[in-house]
Amino acid sequence: MRSLRWGDAVVVALATALVTTSFALGYAPSGGSTHLVVTQAGMDSRHYPLNENRAIQVEGPAGITEIEIQPGRARCLRSPGNQGICEAAGWLERPGDLAVSLPNRLMLQVRGARSDFDSMHY
């Protein structure tokens, strides 16, 4: 059995560097969340920055949905639905995170420089 030659070691080192660099660039953080988009059926989307504390109330067909915004994150604090789906989503912090209030036909989605995923399928 022969040992590696110096050229083999260079090829292995370059391949390792290439894989490490590709991984680091491909899975780097997306730059943070910048704003919350509130979409309600039949209405224009509303955008709220995620850089300050804010409380929002959105009137819908089933009642009022309360949204809490803190620097870098947002959540559905209260929703008129009896199953608590919107509240169960918890804090939305990464670009692409979303919560839905079905009774109020409302969707909350955090957006940033880019999303952490490229498509969604159900």
Side-chain angles (χ1 to χ4, degrees), residues 3 26 39 50 55 64 76 97-98 106 108 111:
S3 63
T39 308
L50 291 178
I64 295 175
C76 179
D97 283 354
L98 61 91
L106 182 73
L108 314 175
R111 298 234 177 113

Side-chain angles (χ1 to χ4, degrees), residues 89-109:
W91 286 104
L92 310 175
E93 299 175 316
R94 297 179 317 199
D97 283 354
L98 61 91
V100 177
S101 174
L102 294 176
N104 274 345
R105 301 180 193 139
L106 182 73
M107 182 176 77
L108 314 175
Q109 184 175 21

Side-chain angles (χ1 to χ4, degrees), residues 18-37:
L18 178 66
V19 169
T20 303
T21 303
S22 297
F23 182 78
L25 293 175
Y27 294 99
S30 61
S33 305
T34 60
H35 61 281
L36 176 71
V37 179

Side-chain angles (χ1 to χ4, degrees), residues 2-3 10 15 22 38 47 56 62 66 69 113 115-116 118 120 122:
R2 296 179 10 185
S3 63
V10 169
S22 297
V38 178
H47 298 254
I56 302 166
E66 295 179 31
I69 297 177
S115 182
D116 283 346
D118 60 358
M120 232 193 230
Y122 293 98

Side-chain angles (χ1 to χ4, degrees), residues 33 36 49-54 68-75 91-94 110:
S33 305
L36 176 71
L50 291 178
N51 59 1
E52 60 187 34
N53 291 327
R54 180 183 293 198
E68 179 181 7
I69 297 177
Q70 292 182 359
R73 63 188 192 163
R75 71 175 172 167
W91 286 104
L92 310 175
E93 299 175 316
R94 297 179 317 199
V110 172

